[in-house]
Amino acid sequence: GTNAECCAGEYSTQITGACFAGMANAPSAAPSSVDDIKYYPDYDTDYEAATCLPGKMNGRPSFDSMAECCIGAYPAQTSGACFAGMDSPPTVAPTTEADKKWFKDPESNDFTTGTCINDGPVPSGYVAYGTNAECCAGEYSTQITGACFAGMANAPSAAPS
């Protein structure tokens, strides 16, 4: 059988909807209007893994949107699990340019032409640097071509001989 058939058979009286909500493509209840959809925090799951579930549950706060629920119920969640559980999760964007971290460009396969970038999250296993110069110095200190430093917006001039 399917996951939905299992939930319907084994958890038909489950008020929380947790079984259905845990499905990859969870069905939504059929509200009479979009304005009727509410969300509540899943306090039965570990804080860092928890999301908000559609519906209402006695004793738990009710929110008009999943985003409002994530913000209201899990303000200190660092995993991003709640937002990741949304149909259209928000993209992670730094709040300021200073928050962006520099790292070795994963597309730079040739050391002699390698550069550093800061246009996204730092990939797993990569070192994060505060500035482009720090990244170039850390990742390409023996690069004779100077390609990494030359690619900087305000590239340093070569040291006098």
Side-chain angles (χ1 to χ4, degrees):
T2 66
N3 195 346
E5 289 168 344
C6 175
C7 288
E10 296 297 319
Y11 298 98
S12 60
T13 59
Q14 186 181 55
I15 326 171
T16 64
C19 185
F20 285 106
M23 293 169 51
N25 293 311
S28 58
S32 52
S33 82
V34 174
D35 296 332
D36 292 341
I37 300 174
K38 300 290 182 199
Y39 293 86
Y40 68 93
D42 179 11
Y43 292 147
D44 298 326
T45 301
D46 178 68
Y47 187 86
E48 284 299 319
T51 62
C52 289
L53 303 171
K56 294 179 182 177
M57 186 171 190
N58 287 340
R60 296 195 186 176
S62 180
F63 298 90
D64 290 332
S65 72
M66 187 159 174
E68 288 176 18
C69 181
C70 290
I71 293 166
Y74 305 106
Q77 187 184 65
T78 57
S79 67
C82 190
F83 286 112
M86 295 172 63
D87 286 338
S88 297
T91 57
V92 177
T95 52
T96 67
E97 283 294 313
D99 290 341
K100 290 185 174 182
K101 296 297 179 201
W102 289 88
F103 55 94
K104 178 182 172 183
D105 184 353
E107 304 292 315
S108 292
N109 297 323
D110 183 356
F111 183 81
T112 60
T113 59
T115 57
C116 292
I117 58 173
N118 73 339
D119 63 353
V122 179
S124 177
Y126 281 66
V127 177
Y129 297 93
T131 67
N132 195 350
E134 289 171 359
C135 179
C136 287
E139 297 292 335
Y140 298 102
S141 61
T142 60
Q143 186 185 58
I144 325 170
T145 61
C148 188
F149 285 105
M152 293 171 55
N154 295 308
S157 56
S161 50

